[in-house]
Amino acid sequence: MRLNSAWLEENGRMRNLARRTLLQLMQDEAGVQVEPMPVAALQDALFVEAMGIADVMEGGFGDQNKFPMAPQLLALLELQATAPRPQLAEFLVLTLDRMADGGLRDHLAGGFFRYTVDPSWQVPHFEKMLYTQALLSVVFLRAAALFGRADYAAVARDTLGFVVREMAGPHGGYVASFSAVDGAGREGGVYLWTVDQLHALLGEQDTALARRYWQMTDIPSIDGGHLPRQGDSVDEIAEATGQSVADITRRLGCVRERLLVARKNRLLPVDDKELAGWNGLMLAAFARAALAWDDPGFRAVAARVRDFLRERMWDGRELRRALAGSRELGKASLEDYAYVAYGMAAYADLSGDPADRAFVATLLDSAWQRYHGPSGWRMDDHPLIPGMGERAAMLEGALPAPSALLVRVAIRSGNPDLVKRALTAAELGRRATQQQPFWYTGHHAVLLEAAARTPQ
């Protein structure tokens, strides 16, 4: 009560006190010198912290619901590529297999759901987010190269194909998300099947095949019906039934098509905003796939997303945050600049066009001017109090830390001024990153890149 009265009566004085206290704390933090860890120690620290959180029985992290945690998985894949460890490889393969084969993925149309509500990757929260598709396609693409797994590459291709086919927006970008509930308000209603529905659509023999292949034989674990998941393989079904692999494959293709046609008649609400930042992440995924597979189809898709971001979401001075119909929505933030710069940098690697690299430099410079201060990064370009909200390093969440992405893209830009600013920013985030590398994997990668540029 006394605090509330003081706030009402002495608002100005308390604001000034809060500002002075905040600035003092930031100065104290900035003044702490942190000894750089050697590269091997940095790598060890990430491995030890990650394995301390890992679920080594089911894969992933945590013991209740399971989020993909794509930024951390990608960092661990890079760690395995540069400093391989059998325990880490085993954990990564387990996690990727569970994510690909279980309920996190849509086994009919492709694409990933947002997370699962159980620790075994079986029951999803049925929302499909554009950023999930962008990040997990890159994770599986990287894992395919690292482990030599063609099935991981197939998952990445399937996910990207889903986005192209199902999530295209009217302006050249891709829409934000599909709802978890169907048009009647039923959780997962678009994706679930009862045995009666299967029989009506497929007949007895193809229903038996579908139930075996998509693991729909037991009592449904979800109210409303079975969710298709990976069951017996084509080879196993062919051997058990005495039919050829080619025949089983052909029949499954026909079954899938009939189920997808039926699904089209179910209403799935869509958030049709085309967001600059999430389309930047998507551009990076398409560009990486086009490079990895030398695929002209994904090259053309990436070019369309590049044009959308360059021509529709950039007005020559600043980014637009989103388009919905003919309306511009919201105000761009640090995330938008970071993710678009990241996507454009990946596209520049694909195109080799100096104009694309120049646009990346423009985005980076604008982001630094708008969102970076003496103590670090802030999400908004007009803080209420100078210095308020500045953070030397930002945590990884479901999405990559935007500060880390900007620094990494700047370090790789080859522009001396941007590289200098990036290395300075990397040092600001060293303390938090060395203490908790798993939660700052983007900045951890930055420190490794900075170390590679420093003579040992």
Side-chain angles (χ1 to χ4, degrees):
M1 180 68 94
R2 287 197 301 271
L3 181 61
N4 184 60
S5 298
W7 177 255
L8 293 173
E9 295 169 8
E10 302 181 74
N11 183 282
R13 187 178 71 82
M14 294 189 72
R15 281 181 180 275
N16 286 332
L17 177 61
R19 177 177 179 274
R20 288 197 303 271
T21 302
L22 176 65
L23 291 176
Q24 184 61 53
L25 287 171
M26 287 195 282
Q27 288 166 5
D28 292 344
E29 178 78 8
V32 175
Q33 295 296 315
V34 181
E35 185 69 23
M37 294 171 65
V39 167
L42 273 173
Q43 293 170 331
D44 287 343
L46 176 57
F47 170 73
V48 169
E49 188 174 17
M51 295 311 297
I53 303 169
D55 180 347
V56 297
M57 300 300 293
E58 296 287 352
F61 305 95
D63 57 7
Q64 296 183 13
N65 51 23
K66 284 285 175 66
F67 285 84
M69 300 184 75
Q72 283 89 351
L73 287 177
L74 192 58
L76 292 172
L77 286 167
E78 295 302 335
L79 178 62
Q80 181 63 21
T82 55
R85 294 166 168 84
Q87 184 184 359
L88 180 57
E90 182 180 353
F91 168 73
L92 287 169
V93 168
L94 170 67
T95 300
L96 294 166
D97 286 351
R98 291 285 196 272
M99 289 166 58
D101 295 344
L104 187 70
R105 190 158 73 97
D106 180 351
H107 289 261
L108 290 181
F112 285 90
F113 301 112
R114 190 177 176 192
Y115 63 94
T116 64
V117 300
D118 68 307
S120 301
W121 302 101
Q122 296 304 307
V123 182
H125 172 66
F126 287 92
E127 196 173 17
K128 282 184 176 179
M129 315 298 291
L130 182 64
Y131 70 77
T132 305
Q133 319 314 318
L135 297 175
L136 288 184
S137 58
V138 170
V139 166
F140 277 89
L141 183 64
R142 184 69 184 95
L146 179 61
F147 294 118
R149 292 277 297 264
D151 56 333
Y152 288 169
V155 170
R157 186 180 290 274
D158 189 49
T159 304
L160 294 172
F162 159 74
V163 173
V164 172
R165 190 176 60 253
E166 304 288 344
M167 300 191 79
H171 301 293
Y174 292 90
V175 300
S177 66
F178 291 134
S179 173
V181 300
D182 67 7
R186 294 172 297 198
E187 178 84 15
V190 166
Y191 305 102
L192 302 176
W193 303 92
T194 66
V195 175
D196 287 344
Q197 288 172 332
L198 293 172
H199 274 124
L201 282 169
L202 306 175
E204 185 175 348
Q205 288 189 337
D206 282 345
T207 292
L209 175 63
R211 294 183 71 187
R212 186 166 187 170
Y213 182 71
W214 283 300
Q215 200 180 128
M216 297 188 287
T217 54
D218 296 329
I219 297 173
S221 58
I222 304 172
D223 291 341
H226 290 281
L227 174 68
R229 292 180 282 253
Q230 185 60 54
D232 290 347
S233 69
V234 170
D235 288 344
E236 288 170 332
I237 295 173
E239 182 177 355
T241 61
Q243 301 177 66
S244 69
V245 168
D247 187 46
I248 295 297
T249 301
R250 178 190 59 76
R251 286 178 59 197
L252 283 170
C254 293
V255 168
R256 186 191 304 270
E257 284 301 315
R258 279 181 280 170
L259 292 175
L260 287 174
V261 168
R263 257 180 44 172
K264 285 285 188 183
N265 295 320
R266 300 173 177 181
L267 181 60
L268 180 60
V270 57
D271 179 350
D272 63 0
K273 293 191 298 293
E274 292 168 80
L275 295 163
W278 294 4
N279 274 279
L281 296 175
M282 206 67 245
L283 174 58
F286 286 132
R288 288 191 178 196
L291 273 172
W293 299 327
D294 192 22
D295 189 307
F298 284 125
R299 183 181 288 268
V301 171
R304 288 197 296 272
V305 182
R306 180 267 183 202
D307 292 345
F308 164 74
L309 292 170
R310 185 71 178 85
E311 297 169 10
R312 297 302 301 268
M313 305 305 284
W314 175 254
D315 68 2
R317 297 181 305 106
E318 60 185 9
L319 278 174
R320 300 179 174 93
R321 179 179 180 273
L323 294 178
S326 60
R327 296 175 297 136
E328 296 178 16
L329 298 178
K331 174 186 172 186
S333 70
L334 174 65
E335 270 194 359
D336 298 297
Y337 279 84
Y339 298 161
V340 173
Y342 165 68
M344 289 301 304
Y347 184 76
D349 290 340
L350 176 67
S351 71
D353 189 337
D356 292 322
R357 300 199 186 281
F359 185 45
V360 173
T362 298
L363 290 167
L364 291 171
D365 185 65
S366 183
W368 241 274
Q369 297 297 327
R370 293 170 184 272
Y371 305 106
H372 196 265
S375 300
W377 299 92
R378 57 185 178 270
M379 296 300 293
D380 194 277
D381 58 356
H382 294 296
L384 293 175
I385 299 174
M388 178 171 278
E390 288 181 1
R391 287 172 281 173
M394 291 180 174
L395 289 163
E396 301 288 345
L399 288 149
S403 54
L405 275 188
L406 277 172
V407 173
R408 291 188 75 184
V409 173
I411 286 176
R412 297 176 180 182
S413 69
N415 181 305
D417 179 57
L418 289 171
V419 171
K420 181 179 178 181
R421 281 190 270 179
L423 292 174
T424 300
E427 284 305 312
L428 282 177
R430 180 177 290 280
R431 182 183 186 186
T433 301
Q434 291 187 170
Q435 289 176 343
Q436 293 182 293
F438 181 80
W439 301 107
Y440 293 93
T441 50
H443 289 278
H444 183 270
V446 164
L447 292 183
L448 290 175
E449 291 204 24
R453 293 173 170 269
T454 303
Q456 300 298 310

